[in-house]
Amino acid sequence: MGRYANHEDFGANAPINFREDTTSESYLKGMSGIAPPGMKPKAMRGKRYEDNTDFKASVKWHRNFDIAMFGGTDIGFPESETKQMGLEQKIDGIERKPGRR
């Protein structure tokens, strides 16, 4: 069985995990791993990365994933942000599954 039991479980957990896991530290760590020897990524790029992975970015990411995996989405534009908020508010009835292990 996958990490999420159903689509509501996925919608209530995954976008929150996306926002929590996309930090400047994770970006810089990943980029350092692929950088040529003796070079390291600029801290400013990590900051920009984190700034661009906000709520709006998590809605877009979730919508695209939903289309790719489920063949459609209940998070359509232009009201996608409102629907995403509705899914995330369901977390009270759904078990919270933190991001990276």
Side-chain angles (χ1 to χ4, degrees):
M1 181 193 260
R3 181 174 183 154
Y4 303 107
N6 56 43
H7 185 257
E8 282 192 352
D9 188 22
F10 169 75
N13 280 289
I16 296 168
N17 291 339
F18 171 84
R19 290 193 302 273
E20 290 175 353
D21 292 344
T22 53
T23 62
S24 61
E25 293 82 23
S26 67
Y27 175 84
L28 295 173
K29 181 179 177 186
M31 293 304 289
S32 294
I34 62 170
M39 298 187 80
K40 65 178 191 171
K42 296 178 181 176
M44 185 189 330
R45 290 191 179 174
K47 172 88 172 94
R48 278 196 220 139
Y49 174 76
E50 188 169 344
D51 291 345
N52 290 321
T53 53
D54 58 0
F55 179 78
K56 216 171 204 165
S58 73
V59 172
K60 184 177 179 182
W61 170 82
H62 177 219
R63 182 177 185 276
N64 290 340
F65 188 91
D66 193 27
I67 290 170
M69 297 305 292
F70 301 109
T73 184
D74 57 350
I75 306 170
F77 287 120
E79 70 278 350
S80 56
E81 291 179 24
T82 307
K83 288 192 176 186
Q84 181 63 44
M85 285 294 289
L87 279 171
E88 289 186 19
Q89 289 170 354
K90 290 181 180 179
I91 198 71
D92 295 333
I94 296 173
E95 178 188 353
R96 177 74 171 101
K97 295 178 181 161
R100 300 189 188 273
R101 297 171 200 215

